[in-house]
Amino acid sequence: MAKTAEGIKVKAHPEQNIARYERLFDSFKKSTQGAISVAELVARLERTGISSADPRLVGALSSGGSAGDAQLDQSQFAALCGRSGGLVNRALTGALAIPDFASFTSDVTDIYENLRADDKGSVADYIPQLKRVPPDLFAISVCTVDGQQFSIGDSSRRFCVQSVCKPINYALTLEEHGPEVVHRHVGREPSGSGFNELSVNGEGLPHNPMINSGAIMSCALVKPLQAMADRFDYVAETWRRLSAGRPVGFNNAVYLSERQTADRNFALGYFMREHNAFPDATDLLSTLEFYFQCCSIELDSVALASTAAALANGGVVPLTNERVFSTGTVQKCLSLMSSCGMYDYSGEFAFTIGLPAKSGVSGALMLVIPQVMGIAIWSPRLDLLGNSVRGIGFCRELVDRYNFHVYDSLVAGNSEGGKRDPRLKKDQTAIDGTVRLLWSASIGDLDGIQAALAGGVSARSQDYDGRTALHLAASEGHIDVIEYLLDHGADAAAEDRWGGTPRSDAEKAGHPEAVSALRGPVGPGPGRPRKTTS
Ligand code: GLU
C-alpha cells in the first residue's frame, strides 16, 4: 500500500506493480508466449531457503497457478509478488537474512556429518520413555528471521520439549503479568547449583525461571484462575503458533512417568511453599501436574527451529508473520536463556558460544541468533551436565566458522581470521572493499584508499571492466594517490578491457604530471611500472 499526500492508504495501481516487478520477471527464461514457468520460480525460491510449502507463499502460488508446468505472464507474476508480501522480491534479489543460503546450509551439513560419529554421552534414563529413545537419532533444523528453512537428519521425529518448555512458559508469564509481578515470585540470577537443587535465593524465591523450581513457579503463574484443561490448551496452542503449523503433540506416557518419578520436583514445590514463594491461592499439586504436562509436549526439530526463530525475530513467527510475544518479553527471556539456559554449563556456554540457548533432558537444544535465525538440534545422548553432546558440539563448530558470538564484532580482524558473516551477500566484503578503493581513487581521497588497503583490499583490485584504482586516479590526475598506490603494490601496467593503461588514461585526460609519475623509475616496490605503455 502506498500513501497519498493526505496520508490515505491506497492500493498501488496494477500498472505500477507490473513496472516494479519487470526486472525480476526479466531475470527468468521466457516461453515463446513471453511467460515464465512456475517450476523455475519455485526452484529459484527453494535455492534461497524459501519452500513452496511456506505458509506465506501457498496462497500466492495457488492463486497464480502452481501446477507442474504452469506459466505466469508478467501481470500474473506481479500479482503473485504482491500477494507474497514482498517475500518473492527479497528472495530473488538476494535480500534475505542469509543471502547465500546454499553455502550456509552446506556448512551445517558438514558439521552434521562431522558429529554423526560422536557417540559420547548417554540417553536420560530416569524414566523408561526417555531411556527407550534410540540414541543415534540426530536432527538439525534452521529457520531464519525471513523464514528460510533447512533441515537434516531425523527432523520429522518428535521428541518431548522437557526443559525447553521453561523459556516459553516464562515468556507467557511476562505477557500475562508483566516483569514486575512475575519477579516478585522468581529471581533472575544464575543459581550456581544444579537445575533441580533444593535451594532458594536470599528472598526465599527460586533463583531463575530456567531451573526446575523457577519453571514450577512459572506454571503457577500461567492463567492461574482457569481450569487445568484450559491452561494446558493455552500453552499447547502457544507452541502451535510458534511452530507455524507443524504438528505439536503430547506424550501421555512421558507425562505419567514424570509424575511417577517426581519426588525432587514435589520436594522443590513444598520447599518453595514453606518460603511463601507462590502467589496466594496456588494449588501446589495441580501446579506440579501442569509442569509435568508442559515438559511432555512433543514436537519435531522443524517446529523447534521455528520457535527459536520467533525468539530471534523479536516475538514474531517468521513463517506466519504472527506476533506471539512482545519484544520486551523476548528481550527478558533471551537474557535469562543467555545466563541460565544450559544447566551448569551456562557460564561456559556464554563464554564460548555467546548466544542464548535452552536445552532439555530429551536431548533438545534451542539456539537463538538474535535478528538472524533460530536453530534446533536434537540428539538424545547427554553429557554429565545434562546437555546434548552433539548439540553442544554443533554450537561450538558453528561459532568457530561464523561470527555469531555476541562479542565477535569486537574481535579485530575476525572477518580476515577465518570466521565468516553469513549475513553478507556472496563475496560482499571483497565487493565493498573494491568499490571503496575505486571510488576513493576517483575522487582523490587518500584516507579512503589507505583505509581500504589497511582493511585488506588489494591495490591491484579491478572492476568488471578491468579498471583499477590507478586508472581512475590517473584519469582524474590525483598525483598523491597515484604515488601512494604505486608504492603499495598497484600495477602500473594493468590494462582495462579496452587495452587502456593508467598512463594512457592520464595522457588522454591531459594530466602531464600524472603521465610522468606513471613513467617514474622502476622499483623498488612491485607496483612500479614494469613495461612501457606508449
Ligand atoms: N521433566 C524434567 C524434570 O523436571 C525436566 C528436566 C529437564 O529437561 O531438565 O525433572
Side-chain angles (χ1 to χ4, degrees):
M1 292 250 191
K3 274 190 169 185
T4 62
E6 297 79 39
I8 301 164
K9 283 183 180 169
V10 291
K11 255 199 165 147
H13 191 275
E15 307 272 297
Q16 279 173 286
N17 274 339
I18 293 177
R20 189 177 329 149
Y21 298 122
E22 205 173 282
R23 252 176 312 171
L24 280 186
F25 187 76
D26 281 343
S27 67
F28 284 85
K29 282 199 281 295
K30 305 283 172 0
S31 70
T32 40
Q33 286 80 33
I36 66 167
S37 120
V38 171
E40 188 190 345
L41 170 62
V42 166
R44 275 179 65 179
L45 290 174
E46 290 196 335
R47 283 202 293 278
T48 70
I50 301 296
S51 143
S52 56
D54 188 305
R56 297 164 297 176
L57 216 51
V58 166
L61 277 179
S62 57
S63 12
S66 62
D69 58 351
Q71 304 275 310
L72 296 171
D73 66 21
Q74 194 168 329
S75 71
Q76 287 169 318
F77 175 75
L80 183 147
C81 291
R83 274 195 302 274
S84 77
L87 178 66
V88 170
N89 185 11
R90 284 188 299 128
L92 296 181
T93 55
L96 297 177
I98 303 293
D100 188 0
F101 199 59
S103 298
F104 180 73
T105 58
S106 113
D107 264 328
V108 172
T109 304
D110 195 39
I111 301 176
Y112 170 89
E113 294 297 344
N114 292 347
L115 291 169
R116 245 151 60 116
D118 189 344
D119 60 359
K120 286 193 281 303
S122 35
V123 173
D125 58 3
Y126 70 97
I127 55 173
Q129 286 67 26
L130 287 182
K131 195 176 173 185
R132 283 200 288 265
V133 176
D136 277 328
L137 294 175
F138 185 20
I140 299 174
S141 294
V142 172
C143 180
T144 72
V145 292
D146 279 325
Q148 297 162 279
Q149 289 179 285
F150 172 76
S151 285
I152 186 162
D154 304 294
S155 59
S156 45
R157 278 287 287 245
R158 284 197 248 166
F159 49 85
C160 293
V161 291
Q162 292 289 354
S163 268
V164 182
C165 73
K166 291 170 180 169
I168 303 306
N169 285 356
Y170 170 58
L172 286 176
T173 66
L174 291 175
E175 291 285 308
E176 192 176 339
H177 306 282
E180 211 260 318
V181 171
V182 168
H183 287 290
R184 274 185 220 152
H185 300 280
V186 59
R188 40 196 191 220
E189 288 288 346
S191 68
S193 44
F195 74 102
N196 61 1
E197 191 74 20
L198 207 56
S199 78
V200 286
N201 68 16
E203 295 166 75
L205 304 179
H207 294 277
N208 66 68
M210 302 297 151
I211 57 172
N212 278 22
S213 51
I216 294 168
M217 185 57 74
S218 294
C219 284
L221 288 162
V222 171
K223 302 282 176 203
L225 302 178
Q226 291 192 3
M228 284 306 297
D230 291 333
R231 296 172 77 186
F232 178 76
D233 270 349
Y234 174 62
V235 172
E237 187 52 30
T238 302
W239 276 106
R240 267 180 216 115
R241 292 164 69 202
L242 291 165
S243 301
R246 292 295 286 191
V248 172
F250 174 71
N251 189 324
N252 195 44
V254 169
Y255 159 65
L256 293 171
S257 269
E258 288 283 349
R259 187 164 162 250
Q260 198 72 43
T261 53
D263 291 352
R264 174 55 64 107
N265 286 324
F266 276 94
L268 285 171
Y270 285 110
F271 189 58
M272 287 192 286
R273 191 161 82 176
E274 186 194 6
H275 284 84
N276 288 319
F278 287 107
D280 293 343
T282 296
D283 180 318
L284 181 55
L285 293 187
S286 55
T287 298
L288 286 162
E289 298 258 308
F290 187 26
Y291 170 63
F292 306 141
Q293 288 163 8
C294 291
C295 290
S296 310
I297 285 174
E298 271 194 336
L299 35 68
D300 62 19
S301 62
V302 180
L304 191 59
S306 167
T307 301
L311 295 178
N313 197 29
V316 174
V317 182
L319 292 161
T320 57
N321 287 323
E322 186 188 1
R323 176 168 292 288
V324 176
F325 299 129
S326 70
T327 49
T329 288
V330 171
Q331 178 224 37
K332 291 169 188 69
C333 186
L334 292 180
S335 301
L336 290 184
M337 284 168 67
S338 298
S339 55
C340 317
M342 299 297 289
Y343 303 113
D344 279 359
Y345 192 68
S346 299
E348 181 61 33
F349 194 87
F351 182 80
T352 330
I353 312 297
L355 289 170
K358 185 72 198 88
S359 61
V361 284
S362 52
L365 197 165
M366 167 168 83
L367 181 71
V368 178
I369 305 167
Q371 292 179 313
V372 183
M373 68 175 84
I375 304 184
I377 308 109
W378 174 55
S379 169
R381 286 198 194 87
L382 309 177
D383 61 21
L384 294 175
L385 298 174
N387 292 309
S388 165
V389 172
R390 288 168 174 163
I392 297 282
F394 175 83
C395 297
R396 281 178 175 279
E397 280 212 42
L398 186 74
V399 298
D400 271 355
R401 295 177 190 223
Y402 290 104
N403 61 353
F404 284 148
H405 187 298
V406 66
Y407 301 124
D408 266 342
S409 57
L410 303 177
V411 181
N414 231 343
S415 53
E416 306 305 313
K419 284 202 185 193
R420 280 164 290 147
D421 187 346
R423 291 158 278 212
L424 298 178
K425 290 190 179 181
K426 225 180 207 169
D427 306 323
Q428 190 66 41
T429 314
I431 294 167
D432 284 350
T434 303
V435 169
R436 184 172 179 197
L437 178 73
L438 298 192
W439 175 251
S440 303
S442 73
I443 60 169
D445 173 6
L446 193 54
D447 289 342
I449 289 180
Q450 288 169 334
L453 297 194
V457 182
S458 161
R460 295 177 170 235
S461 308
Q462 297 180 304
D463 72 6
Y464 173 80
D465 291 323
R467 307 279 291 157
T468 65
L470 207 50
H471 282 96
L472 297 168
S475 299
E476 302 298 332
H478 299 306
I479 303 298
D480 54 343
V481 171
I482 293 172
E483 289 180 339
Y484 182 84
L485 285 168
L486 288 172
D487 280 341
H488 288 83
D491 180 6
E495 289 185 3
D496 64 21
R497 68 190 291 194
W498 302 280
T501 62
R503 199 175 126 202
S504 67
D505 277 8
E507 278 164 355
K508 249 187 270 161
H511 296 300
E513 250 192 283
V515 174
S516 55
L518 285 157
R519 194 186 280 136
V522 177
R528 292 289 173 188
R530 292 186 313 221
K531 62 175 188 187
T532 49
T533 54
S534 57

